[in-house]
Amino acid sequence: MSRILDAILAQETDARELAALPLPSSYRAVTVHKDETGMFLGLPREEKDPRKSLHTEEVPVPELGPGEALVAVLASSVNYNTVWSSLFEPLPTFGFLERYGRLSELARRHDLPYHVLGSDLAGVVLRVGPGVNRWRPGDEVVAHCLSVELESADGHGDTMLDPEQRIWGFETNFGGLAEIALVKANQLMPKPDHLTWEEAAAPGLVNSTAYRQLVSGNGARMKQGDNVLVWGASGGLGAFATQLVLAGGANPVCVVSSPRKADICRRMGAEAVIDRVAEDYRFWSDERTQNPREWKRFGARIRELTGGEDVDIVFEHPGRETFGASVYVTRKGGTVVTCASTSGFEHVYDNRYLWMSLKRIVGTHFANYREAWEANRLVVKGKIHPTLSRCYPLEEVGQAVYDVHHNLHQGKVGVLALAPREGLGVRDPELRERHLAAINRFRVPA
């Protein structure tokens, strides 16, 4: 790997020279092990520790197939699906790999006793398989996490509807928390020239997810002037939602959990901010009983901030803890758009507030290639900015995932893979200088 890294850092190695460099037989990767899936059985969720289940180890370089690419990963980042994988919940991901492995002889590569995790990357193409024409060795890229087969007609209107749609690095192997990743060529997109490797790796999954939820015709179809309630508005997903709302001429109502996170939202340009901890909203009286009085108090607070208006759209991702309140506070005819469910998958709400007020619940899941490309294009143009707060080396991914698991972070948590230090990879310093304050908005001082 050292020869490959030297060639990449030199920036003068052409495609032919890079393609001629021999690939190593193995590479470092962050994995979970199939024989350890029971290690947290019986423990409360908060006591399950990713630092015990995640391993940084040498694994063999996978075979390259048609329509695929091997990418040297300079940096990656942590998403909540890596938290789920590390805790083996709601079920171990090895079931996904087993089912994928039954699809074809080539797919069998993914069914292994270890799972290389990670659904983001920024890096350099090393090899492309037969049939790949758009990309070549040496291209600087980021990757979105949609893996599709597209052999069924169902996926050709919206690739997210492909029956063989999977999330790379979660439902497939050979993910981005590693020195080398295996992706399909139609996952690749241009790396933003004004960002470092670690900054460029941060937006992929969450920015594309937020774009489909809010902007796309497959989501809420946000328009200028809409009031949009954004849960976790300074977090990995919510911070991109907040930026997209502002960039689209709508009005975010940001819900956060601390004064510092409220300050970040205001610095992004949001005016309406609710600190749910300071204002002590308790949407559940106990484990089984919700508290509609708190929904009403929350709705009244929203109207104070919007000049008496209810929200047109609720950007929902916490799930169980907040969903009843989300349905209640949405205006008549409005939309709750939901994904992720990080606080629990079982959503309970009073259907009277949905059906009698003609509201809609729209489920979205990641994004198709067009949506991911458009979301990345906004980053390339400096319209949307990374939300990177801090970086860990590959060997300390367990701590990075622990931080996200316990909500000890803001924005996105980055991971350096092959990049020897932060700050490398900038190709357009002029564009960077124009947006430097926004790029560094989430950074935690060393």
Side-chain angles (χ1 to χ4, degrees):
M1 291 304 304
S2 59
R3 291 183 62 190
I4 291 173
L5 179 59
D6 289 344
I8 291 170
L9 295 180
Q11 295 185 44
E12 298 172 354
T13 308
D14 63 26
R16 187 174 303 174
E17 291 173 319
L18 191 61
L21 289 175
L23 290 177
S25 59
S26 65
Y27 64 103
R28 291 188 310 149
V30 175
T31 66
V32 288
H33 292 176
K34 192 172 187 178
D35 62 2
E36 295 181 346
T37 56
M39 69 188 303
F40 297 135
L41 289 177
L43 289 177
R45 190 171 191 272
E46 61 272 12
E47 293 182 18
K48 298 176 181 180
D49 191 340
R51 295 170 296 188
K52 297 179 180 178
S53 59
L54 293 172
H55 307 271
T56 302
E57 60 184 335
E58 290 280 328
V59 299
V61 174
E63 173 190 358
L64 180 64
E68 296 179 338
L70 285 172
V71 179
V73 182
L74 277 296
S76 184
S77 71
V78 176
N79 295 291
Y80 214 86
N81 63 11
T82 299
V83 176
W84 290 327
S85 298
S86 70
L87 304 183
F88 307 112
E89 63 175 43
L91 71 171
T93 52
F94 291 96
F96 302 144
L97 304 185
E98 291 166 7
R99 284 192 291 276
Y100 192 19
R102 291 194 290 268
L103 183 66
S104 69
E105 187 62 34
L106 193 61
R108 192 175 298 172
R109 295 167 299 167
H110 293 261
D111 184 8
L112 295 169
Y114 60 88
H115 187 179
V116 180
L117 305 177
S119 298
D120 280 326
L121 69 74
V124 175
V125 175
L126 293 177
R127 298 284 192 277
V128 295
V132 178
N133 302 303
R134 169 67 177 81
W135 307 99
R136 62 177 187 166
D139 286 343
E140 296 186 350
V141 295
V142 293
H144 71 76
C145 65
L146 174 60
S147 174
V148 289
E149 305 301 318
L150 291 183
E151 293 184 308
S152 167
D154 293 349
H156 283 262
D158 175 9
T159 50
M160 284 302 300
L161 299 179
D162 183 5
E164 298 297 337
Q165 172 267 320
R166 294 174 175 84
I167 297 299
W168 161 70
F170 179 62
E171 295 167 301
T172 79
N173 219 322
F174 316 122
L177 287 168
E179 293 178 331
I180 292 177
L182 177 71
V183 299
K184 293 182 183 295
N186 58 14
Q187 291 178 240
L188 297 176
M189 304 181 294
K191 172 191 171 291
D193 285 341
H194 64 295
L195 298 182
T196 66
W197 294 112
E198 62 276 9
E199 292 162 355
L205 185 152
V206 284
N207 187 35
S208 301
T209 299
Y211 184 94
R212 181 180 174 104
Q213 277 190 267
L214 289 173
V215 181
S216 167
N218 293 309
R221 303 184 181 188
M222 182 186 72
K223 65 184 185 301
Q224 289 179 323
D226 278 347
N227 294 313
V228 184
L229 181 68
V230 182
W231 290 103
S234 71
L237 183 59
F240 285 102
T242 300
Q243 291 186 72
L244 288 166
V245 173
L246 289 164
N251 309 308
V253 179
C254 298
V255 184
V256 295
S257 59
S258 73
R260 173 167 187 166
K261 293 178 179 181
D263 180 62
I264 288 174
C265 291
R266 292 189 179 98
R267 284 192 278 123
M268 280 193 281
E271 297 179 358
V273 182
I274 297 173
D275 184 337
R276 61 178 175 82
V277 175
E279 299 187 28
D280 196 27
Y281 291 104
R282 299 175 183 267
F283 300 131
W284 290 80
S285 301
D286 55 50
E287 276 294 310
R288 304 185 63 174
T289 310
Q290 295 198 68
N291 187 349
R293 289 184 180 179
E294 287 292 270
W295 301 348
K296 293 176 182 179
R297 183 166 75 94
F298 186 55
R301 178 71 174 115
I302 290 169
R303 287 190 291 275
E304 286 179 12
L305 295 170
T306 60
E309 297 180 339
D310 291 323
V311 290
D312 301 275
I313 299 167
V314 177
F315 182 83
E316 243 292 343
H317 55 98
R320 184 180 187 276
E321 181 182 342
T322 59
F323 203 81
S326 292
V327 171
Y328 178 81
V329 301
T330 306
R331 75 162 177 84
K332 190 171 185 176
T335 302
V336 178
V337 61
T338 179
C339 74
S341 298
T342 53
S343 71
F345 300 104
E346 295 183 350
H347 296 186
V348 181
Y349 62 92
D350 188 328
N351 198 41
R352 292 173 296 177
Y353 298 116
L354 184 78
W355 114 71
M356 295 179 73
S357 294
L358 307 174
K359 302 175 186 181
R360 297 188 307 147
I361 295 174
V362 177
T364 68
H365 181 40
F366 187 59
N368 61 39
Y369 196 10
R370 180 78 254 170
E371 291 160 341
W373 189 280
E374 292 296 335
N376 185 63
R377 182 168 171 264
L378 292 173
V379 180
V380 169
K381 289 180 172 291
K383 304 292 186 182
I384 299 293
H385 306 289
T387 63
L388 187 69
S389 56
R390 65 177 302 179
C391 272
Y392 287 88
L394 203 62
E395 296 81 4
E396 297 179 20
V397 165
Q399 184 62 50
V401 177
Y402 180 90
D403 288 357
V404 176
H405 174 32
H406 290 280
N407 197 28
L408 303 176
H409 69 305
Q410 64 237 9
K412 285 297 292 289
V413 178
V415 176
L416 295 181
L418 282 172
R421 63 184 182 277
E422 297 180 42
L424 303 175
V426 175
R427 310 294 179 235
D428 187 344
E430 292 183 8
L431 181 61
R432 180 180 181 82
E433 186 62 31
R434 291 205 298 272
H435 297 291
L436 194 58
I439 291 169
N440 288 327
R441 183 176 288 131
F442 285 75
R443 291 308 298 252
V444 175

